[in-house]
Amino acid sequence: MSAPTPLVGQIAAQVIEHIRTSAYEPGTRLAERKLAEQLRVSRSPIRGALALLARDGIVETTDRGGYVVLKSADHLPATPTDAKSAGEETYLRVARHRLEGDLPDRITEKELARRYHLTRAELAELLRRMASEGWIDRLPGYGWEFQPMLTSMKMYQDSYHFRLVIEPAAILEPTFVLDRPALEASTAAQQQLVDGRIWEISNAELFDLNSHHHEVIIGCSRNAYYIDALKRIDRTRRLIEYRQTLQREKGVVRCREHVQIANLLLDGDNARASTLLYRHLATVSVEKTRSS
């Protein structure tokens, strides 16, 4: 097998992290199409990444074609710390500069590379990540355009007030049908945070895990308006969340509440889950805006 391209290597690391955060067990099937949608890339680099992971014994092919997970989340290799830390630092600098208004609405790759001293591979990974998270898009002709984001504390508070309306209500919808495998996987990831992983990850990773948990729950409502509204809010609040992330001690408490809400849903007690979710959101809103 020839040496993987930087993009394939980066996507392979993303797939590993996806397996880890989803708490997939050995034997879980990995669908190329679904992975491509989640990582917002074409299926070709996904295919290359899976082949790379098969070579490394992390996934394996099946008799019917495709790939399944071979190693459990506890036995996955870590992303190289130095590279991950450097990339994370640059990513958060760009997020901070955009939030503070120091970056224009439109920017070229050359300008980004010069400003942040990036290699071509580092620039490609940065743009891929920002685009996959929905806060920058490639322009049809030349350059990139940042998407609208929450920038004021008033807008941030308003987003929580809106979530207080839609999220508890979504659980009580007559169309609510529990996606048990998805909720169990997300709950397992939350329990890992409670058990200590919260101290090992970045603010960006913590945001992804927590917002995903809320999106899994609201997704069970089968109401497209609720689902789309929360996803839009999560995209627009991402940057300000990095600045407003709770102290990890309080974060552990809120992740424990995530587990409690999920367990109520898994037991079929939607009414109590809705009440606890409302209290959870109200408390988090106060905690994150009190000092601002």
Side-chain angles (χ1 to χ4, degrees):
M1 181 178 181
S2 59
T5 66
L7 177 60
V8 167
Q10 291 157 8
I11 292 175
Q14 291 289 318
V15 173
I16 290 174
E17 192 61 24
H18 176 69
I19 295 171
R20 192 194 320 277
T21 57
S22 300
Y24 285 156
E25 294 296 327
T28 302
R29 189 172 182 83
L30 297 171
E32 286 183 10
R33 179 184 58 78
K34 190 171 183 179
L35 283 172
E37 290 174 355
Q38 290 170 330
L39 300 181
R40 296 189 66 172
V41 296
S42 68
R43 293 175 68 171
S44 178
I46 290 290
R47 196 171 298 117
L50 289 172
L52 179 61
L53 295 178
R55 185 194 68 182
D56 293 341
I58 296 168
V59 303
E60 65 179 350
T61 56
T62 69
D63 294 338
R64 296 183 300 157
Y67 294 86
V68 296
V69 174
L70 186 59
K71 289 187 176 181
S72 64
D74 293 339
H75 295 89
L76 292 173
T79 304
T81 304
D82 292 343
K84 186 174 181 181
S85 298
E88 189 73 15
E89 181 181 352
T90 301
Y91 171 87
L92 292 176
R93 281 179 63 208
V94 176
R96 184 177 71 252
H97 292 164
R98 178 58 184 166
L99 191 62
E100 294 172 351
D102 292 338
L103 287 171
D105 291 342
R106 296 188 174 191
I107 196 165
T108 66
E109 294 184 12
K110 184 176 180 180
E111 289 170 319
L112 274 173
R114 182 175 64 247
R115 177 162 183 159
Y116 296 101
H117 308 290
L118 302 173
T119 65
R120 290 182 63 183
E122 290 168 340
L123 176 63
E125 168 59 15
L126 175 67
L127 288 168
R128 186 211 60 77
R129 180 175 178 183
M130 293 191 297
S132 70
E133 293 174 352
W135 54 286
I136 197 170
D137 280 333
R138 185 188 292 276
L139 291 168
Y142 181 71
W144 295 75
E145 182 176 42
F146 287 105
Q147 298 303 296
M149 307 296 286
L150 298 186
T151 56
S152 73
M153 287 310 301
K154 175 63 168 58
M155 295 170 68
Y156 184 63
Q157 290 172 328
D158 287 349
S159 75
Y160 268 100
H161 294 162
F162 183 64
R163 292 177 65 194
L164 277 167
V165 174
I166 67 168
E167 291 192 54
I171 291 177
L172 303 178
E173 281 289 294
T175 56
F176 190 94
V177 178
L178 196 65
D179 184 345
R180 186 172 291 271
L183 185 58
E184 287 176 342
S186 182
T187 304
Q190 288 292 313
Q191 187 62 54
Q192 288 178 358
L193 294 174
V194 173
D195 292 340
R197 187 164 182 255
I198 195 171
W199 302 99
E200 303 169 358
I201 63 175
S202 67
N203 287 350
E205 290 174 288
L206 183 58
F207 172 82
D208 285 336
L209 287 168
N210 288 341
S211 59
H212 174 71
H213 193 67
H214 282 265
E215 290 181 9
V216 166
I217 292 173
I218 207 168
C220 298
S221 71
R222 303 301 194 270
N223 185 311
Y225 291 97
Y226 283 141
I227 296 167
D228 183 65
L230 182 59
K231 287 184 176 180
R232 286 175 181 269
I233 288 173
D234 283 343
R235 283 198 301 270
T236 58
R237 72 186 177 96
R238 174 178 289 275
L239 302 191
I240 205 167
E241 278 287 350
Y242 297 162
R243 190 173 67 187
Q244 300 300 128
T245 297
L246 294 175
Q247 294 179 346
R248 294 303 165 101
E249 292 86 351
K250 291 183 178 179
V252 171
V253 176
R254 302 307 156 218
C255 291
R256 187 176 292 117
E257 290 175 352
H258 285 163
V259 174
Q260 293 169 345
I261 293 165
N263 285 337
L264 287 171
L265 291 172
L266 291 167
D267 289 340
D269 196 342
N270 290 22
R272 287 180 62 195
S274 176
T275 299
L276 182 54
L277 179 55
Y278 184 92
R279 293 174 182 169
H280 166 81
L281 288 170
T283 303
V284 172
S285 174
V286 171
E287 289 176 341
K288 288 189 174 182
T289 59
R290 178 181 294 153
S291 61
S292 300

